[in-house]
Amino acid sequence: MTQELLSFDHELMQWFNAPHLHTLALDQFFYAVSKIFIWLPTFILLLYIIVNTKKRESILIIIGIALVFIITDRITSGLMKPVFARPRPSH
C-alpha cells in the first residue's frame, strides 16, 4: 500500500510538472494566490457582511474565525509540513 501511494504521489508530481502545465504564468498565478494580501478584499467583504447581518454575535463569530485560521495555520505549517516534507509542484 505504501509503495502504491508513493508511486501515485510521484506520478501526480510528474503530471503537475509536465511541460503543458508547468508554465511561468501558472507559477506566478499560484504564488500570488498563496499570499494573504491578495485575499484581503475578500476578508474585508466577509467581515462587512458578518457585522451587518449578525450585529450582536459578530464579535464572537470574528474571534472564532480568527482562532480557526490561527490553529489551522499552525497545524499545517508547524506540524504537517515538516512531517510530510513534500515539495510544491513548482519545485
Side-chain angles (χ1 to χ4, degrees), residues 3-40:
Q3 186 59 37
E4 291 172 1
L5 192 57
L6 288 173
S7 176
F8 173 74
D9 183 54
H10 178 73
E11 288 176 29
L12 188 62
M13 185 65 73
Q14 292 295 326
W15 184 80
F16 275 118
N17 282 315
H20 69 280
L21 285 176
H22 194 167
T23 65
L24 182 60
L26 280 177
D27 284 348
Q28 290 173 342
F29 170 77
F30 284 112
Y31 279 127
V33 297
S34 69
K35 304 295 182 201
I36 192 149
F37 295 110
I38 196 123
W39 296 101
L40 278 179

Side-chain angles (χ1 to χ4, degrees), residues 70-84:
I70 291 167
I71 290 168
T72 56
D73 181 60
R74 290 295 102 208
I75 289 172
T76 55
S77 296
L79 296 175
M80 294 175 80
K81 272 187 178 180
V83 168
F84 294 110

